[in-house]
Amino acid sequence: MSGIRGEDLWRVPAVAQSADRRLIAGLRSLADRSYELADEMLALPVLPAHGAARPQNLPVESTGHVRGGSTNFALIGWGLFGGACAGFDLGQLLAGWVNQGTMAGASSTAWSPYASRCTAKAWPSLAPTSRKR
């Protein structure tokens, strides 16, 4: 965490060309909340998880829709299957789609409904109304 809080990291040429003040402030804020977020994550129920739910492990059939309006897909790469906190696989999958450019980041239509279902009691840091401004 000291690297994020200090100035040396942000002066490294490879980092400096990509890090603006908003990104640095956001990463520092996240680092400041890391223990709180880890405690919340550990308090979530442990559910079966794929473990590597990235787009490459979710091939979608490109021939279109099947009867009933569903799309054919398969979930492959089960080597990391096990228990994880609720939402673990969803976070990996959404991040993968954003990194691929398949989906916009902050304006994600998939994240909004998920976040709105998070209550202040279950996931205080994610519930929109729980954050003090």
Side-chain angles (χ1 to χ4, degrees):
M1 203 167 0
S2 62
I4 289 174
R5 282 258 141 251
E7 295 300 324
D8 292 342
L9 171 66
W10 310 113
R11 291 187 183 118
V12 173
V15 176
Q17 66 186 5
S18 301
D20 62 19
R21 290 177 192 229
R22 279 184 46 198
L23 176 67
I24 294 168
L27 289 172
R28 285 177 172 163
S29 174
L30 185 61
D32 289 343
R33 297 178 53 223
S34 62
Y35 290 109
E36 171 194 343
L37 293 170
D39 287 343
E40 284 185 36
M41 184 178 71
L42 291 171
L44 293 172
V46 174
L47 302 171
H50 181 275
R54 55 184 178 255
Q56 297 85 347
N57 285 337
L58 185 68
V60 178
E61 186 177 82
S62 62
T63 58
H65 297 285
V66 296
R67 190 175 4 170
S70 298
T71 301
N72 287 326
F73 68 91
L75 204 50
I76 62 174
W78 288 89
L80 297 175
F81 175 78
C85 67
F88 179 78
D89 282 336
L90 178 62
Q92 284 189 317
L93 189 58
L94 293 177
W97 283 334
V98 169
N99 288 337
Q100 281 183 333
T102 305
M103 183 174 75
S107 62
S108 161
T109 57
W111 175 251
S112 243
Y114 177 75
S116 68
R117 287 184 182 90
C118 294
T119 64
K121 182 178 179 184
W123 295 291
S125 67
L126 295 178
T129 58
S130 69
R131 298 193 74 195
K132 294 180 182 176
R133 303 249 178 219

